[in-house]
Amino acid sequence: MPLILLPNVLHDGESDLSLLFPKALEEKIGSLQGLIAEDEKEARRYLKRFNFPEGRSFREVPIKLLNEHTKKEELNALLEPIVKGETWGLISDAGLPCLADPGAHLVLLARQKGVLLDAICGPSSLFLALMLSGLGAQNFAFHGYLPREESLLKARIKMLEKESEVEGRTQLCIEAPYRGQSLLNILIQELKPNTLLSVCVHLTAPDQEILTLPVIQWRKNPPIDLQKRPAIFLFLAQK
């Protein structure tokens, strides 16, 4: 039986799932014999959004954890029930499994073991940011979290900007919500005045904001107040 990669919402307030997910998702959820997730509380909240067959509750679905604390040697145990014939799902707090998410390690191991894999599409903050920023996705790279140490962070930003200028590449990165404002301030400070910088905040939420401007314009205006909201940062250097 398969491991099914399932889409998740990008913010807790999303209520109309029909606008985000295909109809087939609810049927898949109802057939699951287990769910692999980053956090048990969030996994229960996810399952509660869906209707289950009569006589079955979201509370009965077994949950196993896969997050940044999971060791590689623990991945085999996560796949054991699937290898034995059960159908399990995999979700991510980032919208889609394997994108900015530890699920990629599990999927690779599943392939090596010959486990059948299936996937259902849904919202991805990374791809929504590419679509909405206007910076283009003909050539892009996602770099995850940049270095925390300020000197290393500034050096990495300069290197990525040079690469963007030479290759015409849109660069994407993320940061923990509580550190997002600091990263934005450093990007505004370190990038060249004509580099295009886009910040996509709390995507799909009612307070969603997308702002794309040359850095020189960011410097003239007060930067967007991230208020500890999740954001995607993109920039594209101009020759």
Side-chain angles (χ1 to χ4, degrees):
M1 300 298 282
L3 171 63
I4 307 174
L5 313 186
L6 303 167
N8 201 350
V9 295
L10 296 180
H11 71 96
D12 291 338
E14 184 58 60
S15 57
D16 191 351
L17 300 184
S18 65
L19 297 176
L20 294 175
F21 303 140
K23 292 181 179 180
L25 178 59
E26 189 154 72
E27 181 181 341
K28 294 287 188 182
I29 296 292
S31 68
L32 292 180
Q33 293 168 282
L35 183 66
I36 300 169
E38 294 184 62
D39 177 84
E40 183 168 359
K41 183 179 178 180
E42 291 301 320
R44 291 290 175 208
R45 184 180 298 177
Y46 174 80
L47 292 171
K48 191 177 180 180
R49 294 174 179 271
F50 301 93
N51 295 316
F52 279 77
E54 188 174 350
R56 192 163 185 243
S57 167
F58 72 93
R59 296 183 181 88
E60 299 170 12
V61 179
I63 292 173
K64 292 188 176 184
L65 299 185
L66 171 62
N67 51 44
E68 70 270 22
H69 304 297
T70 304
K71 299 176 181 178
K72 285 190 176 182
E73 54 267 28
E74 297 175 309
L75 297 179
N76 281 300
L78 293 175
L79 290 176
E80 278 182 6
I82 305 169
V83 172
K84 292 178 180 178
E86 295 185 8
T87 297
W88 281 59
L90 172 67
I91 60 170
S92 165
D93 290 346
L96 291 177
C98 304
L99 302 178
D101 171 71
H105 301 297
L106 186 69
V107 170
L108 178 59
L109 182 61
R111 288 217 165 273
Q112 293 170 347
K113 287 180 172 290
V115 170
L116 180 63
L117 290 159
D118 195 6
I120 297 178
C121 292
S124 163
S125 57
L126 300 180
F127 291 121
L128 285 171
L130 281 167
M131 294 164 64
L132 294 168
S133 69
L135 297 187
Q138 185 69 22
N139 184 358
F140 69 92
F142 172 58
H143 302 281
Y145 294 92
L146 299 184
R148 286 196 175 186
E149 185 178 329
E150 189 167 318
S151 61
L152 297 177
L153 172 59
K154 290 180 177 180
R156 184 67 183 276
I157 289 171
K158 292 292 187 183
M159 183 192 76
L160 293 177
E161 184 180 40
K162 181 62 177 178
E163 181 183 274
S164 176
E165 184 178 5
V166 172
E167 301 291 340
R169 180 174 299 147
T170 298
Q171 309 284 30
L172 294 83
C173 61
I174 56 175
E175 184 50 277
Y178 72 95
R179 293 178 54 86
Q181 197 72 52
S182 174
L183 175 60
L184 175 57
N185 293 340
I186 292 175
L187 286 167
I188 293 171
Q189 172 189 323
E190 294 299 318
L191 293 171
K192 294 180 180 179
N194 64 336
T195 291
L196 294 172
L197 172 63
S198 182
V199 182
C200 300
V201 186
H202 218 183
L203 292 169
T204 76
D207 62 343
Q208 169 182 293
E209 290 185 78
I210 296 97
L211 191 58
T212 303
L213 294 169
V215 168
I216 192 171
Q217 293 297 321
W218 281 96
R219 291 174 182 170
K220 290 179 180 179
N221 301 296
I224 191 170
D225 186 359
L226 298 184
Q227 300 176 3
K228 297 183 179 180
R229 295 175 294 168
I232 307 292
F233 304 88
L234 311 88
F235 58 90
L236 177 63
Q238 306 295 292
K239 293 184 179 180

